[in-house]
Every structure is written in C-alpha cells, then in structure tokens.
Amino acid sequence: MEMENKDQNQQSSEAVGSFLWEIVRMLVIALVIIVPLRLFIAEPFIVDGQSMEPNFHNNDYLIVDKISYRVADVSRGDVVVFHYPKDTSQYFIKRIIGLPGEQVKIASGRVTIINSAHPDGMLLDESFLPNQAVTFTPGGEKTTQLGENQYFVMGDNRAHSSDSREWG
C-alpha cells in the first residue's frame, strides 16, 4: 500500500512538472511570435476623441500597419498614427494633407496645396470630409511652408481637431 502511494505521488508530481513545462514552453513560443509582431509589423490602437469622425469614432479599435511606410512613401490622404509632437507619450491619428517641401494654404474654408507640380496651387479634394465641411484656422487665413521632413496633418472632423493648424 505504501509503495502504491509513492508511485501515485511520483506520477502526480511528474504530471504537475510536465504541465508547468508546457505552460512555460507555450509562453516562450507566444513571446517569440507576439513581441516581434507588435514591434515591427502591427500594433493595436484605440481612437481617443472625435477628431477623425465620421471616418473613425472614439474608442474604435484599429490595427496599425507598421510595415507599409518602410517600403513605400506616405501619400496625401493617408491616415497615420504618430507621436504627438508636443508630448511624445501620446499618439494621434490624423490624415496627411501636405507633403515635404509643399506649401499648405487655408483660406475661405478651403485647403490649397502649392508645390512644383502646381505652382499656382491645387484645391485639395476632400471628399472624405462629411458634407464637404469647410476648414477654418484660428485667426483666419494661414499659409504653412513645409520643410524637407515635415508633413501637414489634420483631423477629418475639422471643428474638433487639434492638428497642424495649431501646433505645426
């Protein structure tokens, strides 16, 4: 009887050890897959605020692609997630309006892009805006010249967006 208890105890401790080993093994495999995936390929993002409505709403859950802009250039109209320039611990989601080297002019509620292809200006097609909403800036008309590595971004809900019109 005593021998049977020893065998049962030994089998029981082997089963627990085997179970723990499987848990550790599963965690290591998960970390090897998840950490690089999150660091280099895609990252979850939750929209905070109403600056991108009606296209993205508060608390929308997005998966942000981290590969595309390593192999292709950013284009006008792309929606990007980036570190807020005035507090890099925060992430913002906005739409690319102006590209490096361009001039962005906001006047009479419309956005005009001035670049080498359009030296007289090109009125920006903003069909993604609700009801073709107008774009205003604090203080009226505004013209911004972008540097070599600068982009001009704005939220789709222009009346409720903190964006390049305010902080450059």
Side-chain angles (χ1 to χ4, degrees), residues 13-64:
S13 67
E14 285 176 7
V16 168
S18 177
F19 175 74
L20 290 176
W21 170 246
E22 285 300 315
I23 295 283
V24 168
R25 206 171 105 195
M26 190 173 18
L27 285 172
V28 168
I29 290 170
L31 286 174
V32 165
I33 293 170
I34 291 172
V35 169
L37 182 73
R38 177 136 187 216
L39 288 175
F40 303 110
I41 298 173
E43 185 172 354
F45 178 77
I46 297 175
V47 176
D48 182 20
Q50 55 185 340
S51 74
M52 289 300 289
E53 289 179 352
N55 298 307
F56 300 98
H57 297 276
N58 190 42
N59 293 322
D60 277 357
Y61 187 82
L62 309 174
I63 302 294
V64 177

Side-chain angles (χ1 to χ4, degrees), residues 53-55 126-134 156-158:
E53 289 179 352
N55 298 307
E126 298 183 287
S127 54
F128 49 83
L129 291 180
N131 304 321
Q132 286 295 295
V134 294
D156 291 351
N157 186 358
R158 302 286 164 80

